Amino acid sequence: MRRHVQRDPISAATRTAILALFSVAPYTARSDWTLGAEAHVLHDDNVGNGESSPDIVEDTIVGARLSLFQLFALGEGYNVAAGGDLSGESFHRFDGLSNATAGGTLTLKKKWGLGAFAPWVRAGVSIARSDYEDDYRNASIYRATLAAGRRIDERWNLWADYAFERRAAATQEQEVPGISGDAFSQDGRTVSANAEYALSETTFLSVSVSARHGDVLSTTVDEDRIYTGARAIAEDPAFGPGAYAYKLTGTTYGFMVGINYSPTPHTLLECGFQRLDTEAQGGGGYTKSLPEITWSYRF
């Protein structure tokens, strides 16, 4: 029988912070509200981040997102964007991983000069809440980002990103004496370098490399495979009876390549492939491949 932890509703502090994202922006020099819609299909060949063959399982995920934001010009090349989004994912095999997320975002951007070729820097913060079908995975997500870039000519666009993310989930019942049950809370820092090349006015090639260091989570159906270096262990019944999730510290290196086609000024079709290779401290690790097709519309 699956053991569920009572849902942890969004705290008053979290609700206040989300509302604050929409209230701190100035009320002058506004643009119109921008509404965006997105749908994607993704195949994950290692959903549970398993290392050995019995733990490597795959699934197809269908997702959608609806976003709304507004831009405020501040002068001197600065602007603020405030908005929010609703999103959801449906897993074909592991329905306990299906989830819905609501969040808010606030960003500040500085651009040095006019036109498409001026360099820019952007900083942002966001708060979100994810609720899962198997609610022991429910989490509040806090994220801070810093990015900088420049379009260097008519074809090449380059930028880099840094992000810190904190996922705060409820601590589960302790399974092993002396080892925490807080397996689903995670901290991580990611840096990435990105390039986009215009093949034509409507077709773009994108490439990205990334590195992430922090908490990594794997699930196994064999207790003997859990490494002694695990910092937290918890039951993970979304993957079946006897499945356990364990948290380690690790580094993930990623590579992504994609081709984007814009048939109209408001729509974009993206086909991408991502490869991730994770190395855990003290031994172990896993790899995964993620082909994805995304359609988006903004108006």
Side-chain angles (χ1 to χ4, degrees), residues 35-271:
L35 180 65
E38 176 186 300
H40 69 265
V41 179
L42 167 71
H43 187 79
D44 188 336
D45 70 354
N46 190 359
V47 181
N49 301 333
E51 181 192 9
S52 58
S53 180
D55 298 325
I56 297 175
V57 292
E58 58 187 70
D59 203 352
T60 298
I61 304 105
V62 177
R65 179 185 301 271
L66 186 66
S67 60
L68 182 68
F69 69 90
Q70 191 171 30
L71 188 68
F72 304 86
L74 303 181
E76 301 294 333
Y78 288 94
N79 63 63
V80 170
D85 61 79
L86 298 172
S87 63
E89 293 180 318
S90 177
F91 284 69
H92 178 65
R93 290 182 59 191
F94 301 99
D95 56 355
L97 300 179
S98 298
N99 62 83
T101 300
T105 302
L106 182 68
T107 63
L108 174 66
K109 183 177 181 179
K110 166 65 176 176
K111 191 175 181 181
W112 284 271
L114 301 175
F117 302 106
W120 55 268
V121 172
R122 182 179 64 239
V125 293
S126 65
I127 301 173
R129 178 68 180 179
S130 289
D131 283 355
Y132 286 79
E133 184 70 22
D134 279 2
D135 53 13
Y136 62 88
R137 283 178 173 264
N138 292 353
S140 297
I141 305 167
Y142 308 91
R143 185 176 175 87
T145 61
L146 181 64
R150 183 180 184 182
R151 179 177 291 278
I152 59 176
D153 59 28
E154 295 288 345
R155 293 190 178 273
W156 285 100
N157 188 19
L158 306 177
W159 69 98
D161 296 275
Y162 168 83
F164 170 79
E165 183 175 284
R166 163 70 174 164
R167 296 180 64 92
T171 300
Q172 308 302 300
E173 181 181 337
Q174 192 176 74
E175 298 292 336
V176 179
I179 299 180
S180 170
D182 190 20
F184 299 103
S185 294
Q186 301 173 57
D187 293 341
R189 296 169 175 80
T190 303
V191 293
S192 66
N194 313 272
E196 185 180 73
Y197 180 77
L199 299 173
S200 69
E201 292 185 356
T202 59
T203 307
F204 306 86
L205 178 67
S206 60
V207 178
S208 174
V209 292
S210 64
R212 177 190 181 277
H213 183 76
D215 299 323
V216 295
L217 187 68
S218 294
T219 297
T220 180
V221 294
D222 186 350
E223 297 180 42
D224 294 334
R225 297 183 185 276
I226 298 177
Y227 291 101
T228 55
R231 294 171 35 237
I233 300 173
E235 288 187 37
D236 197 1
F239 288 89
Y244 287 87
Y246 57 100
K247 180 167 66 176
L248 300 164
T249 299
T251 302
T252 299
Y253 300 98
F255 171 79
M256 186 279 294
V257 61
I259 187 165
N260 309 328
Y261 172 63
S262 181
T264 74
H266 298 285
T267 58
L268 183 67
L269 181 65
E270 305 172 71
C271 297

